[in-house]
Amino acid sequence: HALANYIQKLNIFKIYLVQKNSVWNAFVMGIHSNEKVPPLGSTEALHEDGPANAEKARIWKTDLERHFEEVRIVETENLSESELHNSSTETSYKIVKLVTMVVVFLVLLSATVVSKGATFLMVSQLSKTRSPMPYCTSSIPYAYANLTGPVDARNSEQEKVAWLWGLFFSFLAPELLILLQSLWNVLTRAKKKKESEGDKKTGNAEEIKEENNLLRVDFFFISLSEVAHAAGTAILFFIAFPEMDSISGIMATTALCWFPGCLLILKQIKAKNWKRAPLTVISILLLLTTIAWPLIWGHANKADNKIWALPVGLFLTSLGWWEGFVGEGTDYLFQLKMKLMDHEKNSDINLGVAPLKICVFLVIFMFGGYLHLNSPYELFTLFLDSFSTLDYFVSPALPGTSETPIYHITTFLENGEILWKGPTMVIIVQIVSTWVAYIFGKFACKGKIQKLCYALPLSVLATPVSVLSLLLLCHNRKSDACFYTSFPPHVFFLCPEEVWKFDWKWLGIIWIVSQILITLHIWFPKNKKLEKTDHIFGADLYSGLLIDQSLMLNRRSDDEKNTDIDIVKEEDSIRVHGCATLWHETSEEIKVMLKSAFTMDNWICDNKKPQDCFEWDLHVFFDDAMSANKDGKYIVNDYVLELMKTVKNYGKQFKWTQGAKWIEVLEKNQTPYGGRLDWKLPGGTHIVVHLKNKKMIRHKKRWSQIMYIYYFLVYKLNNSGLNEKQREERIRNTFLLALDGDVDFQPDAITKVVDLMKINPKVGAACGRIHPTG
């Protein structure tokens, strides 16, 4: 590469000189004839034609000399192994990231649509007022072959039992996961350390305990909101939605922003966010149309005794999603929210609240059984039969006939057929698709691909795609009862009488717009990469029956700093200390380490995302760095002098960013173990070289490792002036990067290791393959 640049510059100079005059030809002829070329600036070249030769001399002395000087100082540095790896894999990383984003987007959208579809397929089988649906005559058993012409079908009481239990199991699955997760956290939790004597004397321990501990009123409020959420969900799916067609039911799920919207208004007013506050007020006003809808729906479906179910269910369900919309304007709720960001306290709450939610949902579930069955006891007496048989009624579709024969068809399912042909398959699909949507949604938030892979599919696309897909399914099913053979002949969605009629569907569009405006915060995420789940979502898991709404409304707004209970302080910031051990490394080996340190300094200086940044410094522990002179005084040896020379020279050669220039700022200090050299780099980071005198401290690299572990995790902490809790936080956020003198690395690698280690606080160390370059 250097040779190519040199030849290129020579060719440019040659063309320039040929165009100017024939000096180049004279220069080349002089070389071939072994004639001595007059030195630059000499007067021998001026003996003929004064002005012309003066021009030649000027060219020799100015242009040619300047260009050859540029060629002389060109120094191309071989790329390090890590830079070669980065440059060669950068395109691959971009392709992998693009493919990952496409996969996450498609999976999240598909899983959400499938979950909503499976949920409302179960709901559609419960209605008592539902008109019989067209039946595929090709599926009529041989015993009823005399049935000709159009045939209608409706579910039996036994068939409804399985679908009622399916909704209950769909709600129960995430609640059981939360309960087991919380129980595991409590059983495996390490015992708290006793407060230090200094904290006891100053009263810090009591103050922290009183501020951070959950109170009885906290448990009461959380229990009330969660129980209301469970009750509202049960009212919607066992009382309100079964009497609505599936299209209207799916659109009604977008009107669940009542309580979050009110909290958001308070938050924006307190923050004086006058730009977004009017939009939120408009969204709440749009939600008022949910009061008009039950009247229209009740009148149309002649179910006046249930018109209360939709608005009451929507409001109660919305009470469970408050954490993502609480700001400093609501003092108590804000403090409670900050407490719940502690995973242990959240587990303590869930351990008591999850059983309450299950019990409340079970009570309303049994009441729903009373509404849809002859007796709620049938929920238990017909449980096994409902899953092992297909039980329904068929009758000829004879309009205007008062008496029509009704045939009772029962198909027994054997072994694998129970899984594939009965309600069990729908229930499994619903539970799995809901869980997949949650996992991929959480991945999108932690991976910081939230706008395209989380906000877009959930906020904008999930409901419209579900509605359009269902309209198409209903259209095909109404035109041909045998169009979908994968469905059991008597099982399908509750379709509107006129599929493509717009009628009151404009209310659903209003609710979707309102939901988008209230959940705008999911379009502007501010969380860190691989953030803790407690800092991303208000609850540990999700709602099994309302997956898209729970992912949007349960997402924290991130306006506050996402930390544990304490506000971000100095001890909470991430610190990475590079710890290198040197002995008698050569200048070339030292340059490898310096290049990595200088690159880190550039990265720290250039990084425009403080949430992804951390504090960095490099500490070099130099073994056998001193020797005694003739007077018996210990001075640095030649290897240290070579290190100082290498730092100075390489600092001048290195390409610093943002116009920074190398100015050597070196501080020298004597220490109990020898001495210390401290360079401050242009980006603000430091290279600290600890010079070990083997007469004062144990030498060799293993003892250097013991030295820096003690130096950072004991000595520095004991002299930091922090209390016990702050010291624990400092230790948790301090990382030691063990290096050798010739280890080469890039900032991107450090950030990935730190991100992965922050996921699990129990991880104490991580090691990767090292390729020696020295």
Side-chain angles (χ1 to χ4, degrees):
H1 183 64
L3 182 61
N5 284 341
Y6 187 87
I7 294 174
Q8 184 180 7
K9 285 183 175 291
L10 284 178
N11 288 332
I12 295 174
F13 305 156
K14 180 177 178 180
I15 295 172
Y16 169 77
L17 291 173
V18 168
Q19 291 178 347
K20 192 75 177 177
N21 50 38
S22 60
V23 173
W24 176 261
N25 294 329
F27 176 69
V28 174
M29 290 176 62
I31 293 177
H32 286 292
S33 61
N34 294 323
E35 295 181 1
K36 183 179 179 181
V37 179
L40 296 179
S42 67
T43 58
E44 296 181 23
L46 304 178
H47 68 280
E48 53 179 324
D49 300 333
N53 285 322
E55 179 67 13
K56 296 175 185 178
R58 187 189 66 77
I59 294 172
W60 276 103
K61 189 170 183 177
T62 57
D63 296 346
L64 194 59
E65 183 179 15
R66 176 171 57 83
H67 290 304
F68 271 94
E69 180 66 17
E70 290 180 0
V71 174
R72 187 184 66 80
I73 65 173
V74 169
E75 294 184 8
T76 56
E77 189 176 27
N78 291 330
L79 294 176
S80 65
E81 292 293 332
S82 62
E83 289 176 318
L84 287 172
H85 177 74
N86 281 1
S87 60
S88 62
T89 58
E90 184 178 356
T91 303
S92 301
Y93 285 156
K94 291 180 179 179
I95 294 174
V96 170
K97 183 176 181 179
L98 178 61
V99 172
T100 302
M101 292 177 65
V102 172
V103 170
V104 172
F105 171 83
L106 293 177
V107 171
L108 180 58
L109 179 60
S110 303
T112 304
V113 172
V114 170
S115 173
K116 293 175 79 72
T119 301
F120 278 90
L121 181 62
M122 291 188 282
V123 171
S124 299
Q125 314 311 313
L126 306 180
S127 176
K128 272 193 171 183
T129 60
R130 174 179 182 174
S131 302
M133 59 176 289
Y135 184 84
C136 179
T137 54
S138 62
S139 301
I140 296 177
Y142 179 76
Y144 304 100
N146 59 332
L147 284 174
T148 58
V151 178
D152 291 335
R154 62 181 176 85
N155 289 331
S156 65
E157 302 296 318
Q158 178 177 304
E159 181 83 6
K160 292 179 181 179
V161 170
W163 300 112
L164 283 166
W165 279 106
L167 291 172
F168 177 76
F169 291 148
S170 298
F171 173 84
L172 183 65
E175 301 303 325
L176 282 180
L177 288 176
I178 291 175
L179 186 61
L180 294 175
Q181 178 181 321
S182 302
L183 182 61
W184 176 259
N185 181 275
V186 172
L187 294 178
T188 60
R189 186 180 304 169
K191 293 182 178 180
K192 296 291 185 181
K193 293 182 179 179
K194 294 182 179 180
E195 296 86 359
S196 63
E197 292 297 329
D199 291 340
K200 290 180 179 179
K201 291 179 181 179
T202 58
N204 289 339
E206 294 182 2
E207 183 180 347
I208 292 172
K209 183 177 180 180
E210 182 179 354
E211 178 185 355
N212 297 340
N213 279 357
L214 288 167
L215 306 175
R216 291 182 180 178
V217 66
D218 298 336
F219 183 81
F220 176 77
F221 173 81
I222 296 172
S223 301
L224 186 63
S225 64
E226 292 297 325
V227 165
H229 174 78
T233 304
I235 290 172
L236 287 177
F237 284 92
F238 292 125
I239 302 175
F241 289 158
E243 303 302 328
M244 302 170 64
D245 64 78
S246 299
I247 306 295
S248 302
I250 290 177
M251 291 193 297
T253 60
T254 60
L256 286 164
C257 304
W258 280 94
F259 193 55
C262 296
L263 291 175
L264 186 59
I265 292 176
L266 295 177
K267 180 180 178 180
Q268 291 170 346
I269 292 176
K270 181 69 175 180
K272 297 182 179 180
N273 188 353
W274 307 118
K275 293 182 179 180
R276 291 186 59 182
L279 293 177
T280 309
V281 173
I282 293 173
S283 302
I284 296 296
L285 294 176
L286 294 178
L287 288 177
L288 290 175
T289 55
T290 56
I291 299 175
W293 172 256
L295 301 177
I296 301 169
W297 157 66
H299 176 73
N301 293 276
K302 298 181 175 58
D304 298 337
N305 59 331
K306 299 178 184 178
I307 61 173
W308 58 271
L310 183 63
V312 171
L314 292 174
F315 180 75
L316 290 178
T317 304
S318 70
L319 293 177
W321 293 310
W322 59 272
E323 288 186 57
F325 300 87
V326 171
E328 296 182 1
T330 51
D331 296 333
Y332 169 72
L333 292 180
F334 179 74
Q335 293 176 4
L336 181 57
K337 167 188 173 179
M338 301 305 289
K339 291 179 183 180
L340 293 179
M341 292 178 77
D342 185 290
H343 183 67
E344 293 185 354
K345 293 180 176 58
N346 209 352
S347 298
D348 294 339
I349 288 291
N350 289 330
L351 197 60
V353 170
L356 286 177
K357 293 174 65 177
I358 295 173
C359 291
V360 169
F361 195 87
L362 180 63
V363 169
I364 302 179
F365 160 70
M366 295 180 66
F367 179 72
Y370 172 77
L371 293 178
H372 302 294
L373 305 174
N374 296 327
S375 170
Y377 296 108
E378 291 181 350
L379 287 170
F380 306 97
T381 58
L382 299 177
F383 178 81
L384 294 177
D385 292 338
S386 66
F387 283 96
S388 60
T389 60
L390 299 179
D391 195 79
Y392 56 96
F393 299 98
V394 296
S395 60
L398 302 174
T401 305
S402 58
E403 295 183 1
T404 56
I406 299 176
Y407 302 93
H408 187 186
I409 298 178
T410 302
T411 304
F412 291 93
L413 304 177
E414 298 181 358
N415 300 328
E417 290 183 339
I418 296 176
L419 178 63
W420 299 107
K421 292 186 177 181
T424 307
M425 189 62 189
V426 179
I427 299 171
I428 293 175
V429 168
Q430 199 282 339
I431 293 175
V432 172
S433 61
T434 306
W435 179 78
V436 169
Y438 168 73
I439 292 298
F440 275 80
K442 184 169 70 171
F443 174 81
C445 294
K446 290 191 172 187
K448 303 199 72 174
I449 51 175
Q450 185 170 322
K451 290 185 178 180
L452 295 178
C453 302
Y454 185 86
L456 180 61
L458 292 177
S459 178
V460 178
L461 298 178
T463 301
V465 170
S466 300
V467 170
L468 290 176
S469 301
L470 199 52
L471 287 172
L472 184 61
L473 289 173
C474 288
H475 173 76
N476 294 334
R477 184 65 166 73
K478 281 185 174 291
S479 60
D480 183 3
C482 300
F483 195 88
Y484 298 110
T485 57
S486 56
F487 286 92
H490 64 291
V491 175
F492 202 70
F493 296 95
L494 181 54
C495 299
E497 293 295 331
E498 298 182 29
V499 176
W500 298 107
K501 186 178 180 181
F502 195 64
D503 53 35
W504 297 100
K505 294 184 179 67
W506 59 270
L507 287 174
I509 298 175
I510 290 177
W511 298 337
I512 293 175
V513 172
S514 173
Q515 177 181 263
I516 293 174
L517 294 177
I518 291 177
T519 59
L520 276 178
H521 65 278
I522 69 174
W523 290 91
F524 307 100
K526 301 174 185 177
N527 61 288
K528 300 177 183 178
K529 289 185 295 185
L530 302 177
E531 185 65 274
K532 295 179 181 179
T533 304
D534 304 285
H535 295 173
I536 296 177
F537 296 105
D540 278 351
L541 288 179
Y542 53 92
S543 173
L545 297 173
L546 296 163
I547 180 60
D548 50 339
Q549 277 69 35
S550 68
L551 287 176
M552 287 186 289
L553 298 174
N554 202 29
R555 179 70 169 89
R556 295 189 187 275
S557 59
D558 299 324
D559 290 339
E560 297 81 20
K561 295 181 179 179
N562 288 337
T563 63
D564 290 334
I565 298 169
D566 297 332
I567 302 299
V568 174
K569 300 176 183 177
E570 183 183 358
E571 65 270 13
D572 296 327
S573 59
I574 300 297
R575 287 173 167 80
V576 179
H577 302 294
C579 301
T581 53
L582 292 183
W583 182 51
H584 290 168
E585 274 75 5
T586 64
S587 175
E588 292 302 320
E589 291 174 323
I590 293 173
K591 279 185 179 180
V592 175
M593 179 188 66
L594 291 179
K595 184 173 184 179
S596 299
F598 291 170
T599 304
M600 285 294 299
D601 185 75
N602 274 345
W603 182 82
I604 294 290
C605 184
D606 289 344
N607 197 0
K608 298 179 180 178
K609 298 179 180 179
Q611 67 271 21
D612 295 334
C613 195
F614 48 79
E615 296 183 20
W616 161 265
D617 51 22
L618 175 63
H619 290 257
V620 180
F621 293 80
F622 207 119
D623 267 301
D624 195 13
M626 293 187 174
S627 58
N629 60 9
K630 296 179 181 179
D631 300 330
K633 184 179 180 181
Y634 285 99
I635 60 174
V636 296
N637 58 25
D638 293 339
Y639 293 101
V640 178
L641 296 176
E642 180 66 22
L643 171 67
M644 297 172 66
K645 180 181 177 181
T646 303
V647 173
K648 182 177 180 180
N649 293 336
Y650 192 68
K652 294 178 181 179
Q653 298 174 12
F654 190 78
K655 298 178 181 178
W656 303 95
T657 60
Q658 295 188 348
K661 294 183 179 180
W662 169 258
I663 300 177
E664 188 175 23
V665 181
L666 175 60
E667 181 181 341
K668 305 175 183 178
N669 296 293
Q670 287 187 342
T671 62
Y673 52 82
R676 183 172 63 240
L677 304 176
D678 188 346
W679 280 276
K680 184 177 181 181
L681 303 183
T685 65
H686 289 258
I687 296 180
V688 183
V689 180
H690 301 267
L691 306 174
K692 295 172 60 180
N693 186 343
K694 65 180 180 181
K695 298 296 182 180
M696 299 179 179
I697 193 171
R698 293 289 295 268
H699 67 291
K700 295 190 177 180
K701 293 188 176 183
R702 290 296 174 264
W703 289 101
S704 294
Q705 292 176 337
I706 295 173
M707 178 181 172
Y708 65 65
I709 291 173
Y710 182 88
Y711 178 76
F712 288 114
L713 302 183
V714 180
Y715 174 77
K716 296 282 284 184
L717 282 173
N718 290 342
N719 293 275
S720 61
L722 303 176
N723 60 35
E724 182 67 24
K725 178 177 175 58
Q726 292 170 333
R727 284 197 293 268
E728 288 182 4
E729 197 65 31
R730 173 70 64 86
I731 290 175
R732 185 181 304 166
N733 293 317
T734 298
F735 299 88
L736 305 183
L737 177 65
L739 303 168
D740 205 354
D742 57 351
V743 174
D744 159 49
F745 60 90
Q746 292 295 312
D748 183 56
I750 306 300
T751 59
K752 289 177 181 177
V753 174
V754 172
D755 289 338
L756 290 173
M757 293 190 71
K758 285 193 299 183
I759 295 177
N760 188 356
K762 296 181 181 179
V763 175
C767 181
R769 292 181 299 168
I770 296 178
H771 304 278
T773 59

